[in-house]
Amino acid sequence: MLYTTYEDYTNVTGSDFVKQLEKQAEEKGIKVLSLDFIFGFRHIVTDKVITNPEDLKGLKLRVPASKLWIDTFNALGANPVAMPWSETVSALQQKVIDGTETTFSFMSNSKLYDLRKNVALSGHFLGTGGVYISTKVWDSFTDEQRKVIQEEITQAAIDNNKKMYELDEDFKKDIVKNGMILNEVNLEEFQKRAKKVFDEFPGFSPDIYEKIQNEIKK
């Protein structure tokens, strides 16, 4: 519940704030080559129109078996049910769960439009990936090798994210064509509910929510 666009995320990863974090990682032996690989926002799929967090009350939503996911959906007011994705379609068919949360690509590829019709555009999680290497290995390369590796990794992230924009539109068109209805949510209310996760989650830095929000505003 931090970012609303891909640019929000990449602007933060390019900020002085994150560069300082990368330096701290390097002191621990981890060289960060890129944080910018994006794999799409996740949204809520149900048969009920979800606009505000109150609309999630009592709904059984499939989530991955991750404390972060479970804590987030508890904070939003839902009843998260942790299960593997391989069991999700049958659970939806048998109405063991009311809905799930996932990306446009999974909605399309798994034909979730045959099982549930509403998509609340919550964008509650943004899937991202990074590329890291041991500083010992990195230091063993020549300057020229490091230059080439860094350039290629940076360009790969740019190409990946450009492709993600295209895929998002393709998958979105497909699910709408097959009967899914997309609706906006009261994002501010969702963000208010989710903030407690940042305050309480083990290992998160104090005030990290405010720090990242400040970087987005910059």
Side-chain angles (χ1 to χ4, degrees):
M1 303 302 304
L2 285 168
Y3 309 104
T4 57
T5 67
Y6 291 171
E7 285 81 9
D8 278 349
Y9 175 75
T10 54
N11 285 340
V12 170
T13 60
S15 68
D16 291 340
F17 169 66
V18 170
K19 294 305 178 188
Q20 185 59 41
L21 295 178
E22 290 178 357
K23 286 181 181 178
Q24 293 177 28
E26 202 160 336
E27 291 168 2
K28 300 290 185 180
I30 303 168
K31 171 66 178 176
V32 179
L33 297 179
S34 177
L35 296 169
D36 288 355
F37 287 82
I38 291 173
F39 302 103
F41 284 102
R42 300 175 74 92
H43 308 287
I44 300 170
V45 182
T46 65
D47 267 339
K48 179 181 179 182
V49 177
I50 307 297
T51 305
N52 294 292
E54 290 78 11
D55 300 326
L56 289 172
K57 186 176 181 179
L59 285 185
K60 295 180 180 178
L61 294 182
R62 178 268 173 189
V63 298
S66 159
K67 178 174 171 56
L68 184 59
W69 256 268
I70 294 168
D71 286 0
T72 298
F73 276 91
N74 275 328
L76 294 179
N79 181 8
V81 179
M83 68 171 60
W85 181 258
S86 59
E87 299 175 11
T88 301
V89 171
S90 61
L92 288 168
Q93 290 170 334
Q94 297 165 20
K95 299 186 177 180
V96 174
I97 53 177
D98 299 305
T100 186
E101 56 78 53
T102 190
T103 60
F104 290 136
S105 62
F106 272 85
M107 294 178 210
S108 175
N109 292 330
S110 298
K111 297 184 177 181
L112 293 189
Y113 44 74
D114 290 335
L115 301 170
R116 298 293 185 274
K117 290 302 182 185
N118 280 92
V119 180
L121 299 174
S122 53
H124 50 273
F125 282 123
L126 175 61
T128 65
V131 180
Y132 318 91
I133 191 170
S134 160
T135 52
K136 290 182 180 179
V137 176
W138 183 250
D139 291 341
S140 72
F141 298 146
T142 65
D143 289 344
E144 180 62 21
Q145 288 171 329
R146 286 194 289 264
K147 181 174 181 290
V148 171
I149 292 169
Q150 185 62 75
E151 286 177 350
E152 292 302 316
I153 294 293
T154 299
Q155 187 61 48
I158 293 170
D159 294 343
N160 174 82
N161 298 346
K162 180 181 178 182
K163 187 64 177 177
M164 277 304 308
Y165 272 116
E166 298 171 6
L167 290 173
D168 275 348
E169 288 305 309
D170 290 344
F171 289 129
K172 193 190 301 183
K173 287 177 183 176
D174 180 61
I175 63 176
V176 169
K177 180 185 72 175
N178 283 283
M180 277 185 150
I181 300 168
L182 315 184
N183 70 271
E184 299 292 337
V185 302
N186 188 337
L187 189 60
E188 187 175 344
E189 289 301 313
F190 275 81
Q191 289 174 327
K192 285 180 183 176
R193 291 283 191 99
K195 183 182 179 300
K196 66 177 293 186
V197 180
F198 293 89
D199 295 334
E200 300 173 1
F201 198 79
F204 278 14
S205 302
D207 302 321
I208 188 63
Y209 180 84
E210 287 80 6
K211 289 176 182 177
I212 295 176
Q213 287 290 1
N214 287 337
E215 292 301 325
I216 294 172
K217 290 173 183 175
K218 289 180 186 178

